[in-house]
Amino acid sequence: MNEPHSLAVVVAHPDDDAYGCAGSIALHENDPGFRFCLVLATDGGAGQIAAGIPTTSHELGAWRRRESANAWRAHGRIPDRHEWLDYADGQVAEVDFEELVGRILAVLLEERPQVVATFGPDGITGHRDHIAVGKATDEAFHRARQTPGPGLRRLVHGAMRASTFERWNLRRQRQGLAPWDPTVEYHLRPVPDEWIDIEVDTRQVAHRVVAGLLEHKSQRDVLVDPGMDERRWARMASRESTVMAWPGRPPGSPVLTDLFEGL
């Protein structure tokens, strides 16, 4: 008998989880037994505060926790488990690596999800918190697999296609904005198109991805270019690309179209 589909998303900040896998979660929400576990390393308390948001730097972390809950309610599929590791935003790379691995490992052993999604070595934006969380999650995944049991069938890294990156950068330049520079921390980092192993068509649920993103009001200046309307945002959320970190996709085999395809 096949295992029910289950997914653990392990990321650094509230809003890191609002794209990349949110469409896939919406697509699978009605699968029998589907389970979604979300692990956030920090509350994002060192993030920016958009104009007009009635919070302070001291209270931002608590504000962003509420935004995270609101975002998943707006999306329509609340996590079955929402775990906060409570590390300081911007300082995850300074946490003892064995401690960080151990805390993520404990969740993975309790949940034993089929698929674990996190950041790759580039952190998508080069953010040091992203890189630290991704590295620790990779290690926790491989250690968890050493304990016999169900799940833990696939490890994926969120990624941006180089062709998408180039298209977005051209648009930024046409709008008079500085292009993303992959050598600068916090700027997007693409991977070659041929590295993409899974690409999910999320057009039918893109409006739900956007609904969740819109609840991260304090971070809107980080999440979206000035003047972005919801229609264009939905187009940007119309596909989700990932690299299969484990096991690798066999050479020459087709790109998968679903996180759970073949499991």
Side-chain angles (χ1 to χ4, degrees):
M1 185 169 131
N2 291 334
E3 298 172 12
H5 290 155
S6 54
L7 172 69
V9 177
V10 187
V11 289
H13 314 99
D15 77 20
D16 291 340
D17 55 6
Y19 53 90
C21 287
S24 293
I25 290 163
L27 290 172
H28 285 281
E29 65 181 353
N30 295 319
D31 292 358
F34 176 67
R35 184 170 174 82
F36 163 39
C37 171
L38 173 61
V39 180
L40 292 167
T42 84
D43 61 13
Q48 296 185 23
I49 302 175
I53 300 301
T55 191
T56 64
S57 57
H58 179 69
E59 298 171 339
L60 180 59
W63 180 276
R64 293 192 69 184
R65 285 175 186 257
R66 292 192 293 272
E67 286 185 336
S68 180
N70 292 340
W72 285 106
R73 278 195 290 269
H75 171 278
R77 182 50 167 90
I78 297 170
D80 297 288
R81 177 175 181 177
H82 197 160
E83 191 83 16
W84 298 88
L85 301 185
D86 296 324
Y87 291 114
D89 184 8
Q91 298 179 35
V92 182
E94 299 168 24
V95 173
D96 178 78
F97 184 68
E98 285 299 317
E99 175 189 326
L100 183 56
V101 170
R103 294 191 65 191
I104 298 169
L105 174 61
V107 175
L108 296 186
L109 287 174
E110 289 168 9
E111 293 289 328
R112 299 202 68 97
Q114 279 191 315
V115 177
V116 176
T118 190
F119 298 107
D122 62 1
I124 296 182
T125 64
H127 193 306
R128 61 198 71 185
D129 282 356
H130 293 191
I131 293 170
V133 168
K135 182 179 179 181
T137 303
D138 285 0
E139 180 64 21
F141 175 87
H142 291 299
R143 291 188 192 181
R145 291 196 69 257
Q146 295 174 16
T147 300
L152 302 169
R153 304 279 301 282
R154 181 172 287 163
L155 173 66
V156 302
H157 292 159
M160 169 175 276
R161 281 181 173 271
S163 57
T164 301
F165 175 84
E166 291 163 8
R167 188 170 65 252
W168 285 12
N169 248 356
L170 285 173
R171 184 184 293 272
R172 285 180 64 84
Q173 290 173 292
R174 285 198 297 266
Q175 293 175 319
L177 301 172
W180 296 110
D181 181 350
T183 67
V184 176
E185 189 174 16
Y186 306 121
H187 283 217
L188 291 170
R189 282 154 166 72
V191 302
D193 284 17
E194 59 269 22
W195 289 14
I196 299 299
D197 298 307
I198 307 174
E199 186 153 284
V200 184
D201 182 343
T202 54
R203 284 175 292 184
Q204 64 180 296
V205 293
H207 63 288
R208 292 178 53 177
V209 178
V210 173
L213 285 163
L214 286 170
E215 292 299 321
H216 293 280
K217 296 179 173 66
S218 67
Q219 303 305 300
R220 65 171 176 253
D221 297 338
V222 178
L223 289 172
V224 65
D225 289 340
M228 176 88 74
D229 59 33
E230 291 183 32
R231 195 171 180 180
R232 185 177 149 220
W233 211 350
R235 288 199 300 272
M236 294 171 66
S238 66
R239 68 180 181 181
E240 294 175 347
S241 303
T242 55
V243 173
M244 288 204 306
W246 190 93
R249 180 166 58 96
S253 63
V255 172
L256 303 182
T257 59
D258 187 272
L259 285 179
F260 300 102
E261 184 177 348
L263 297 183

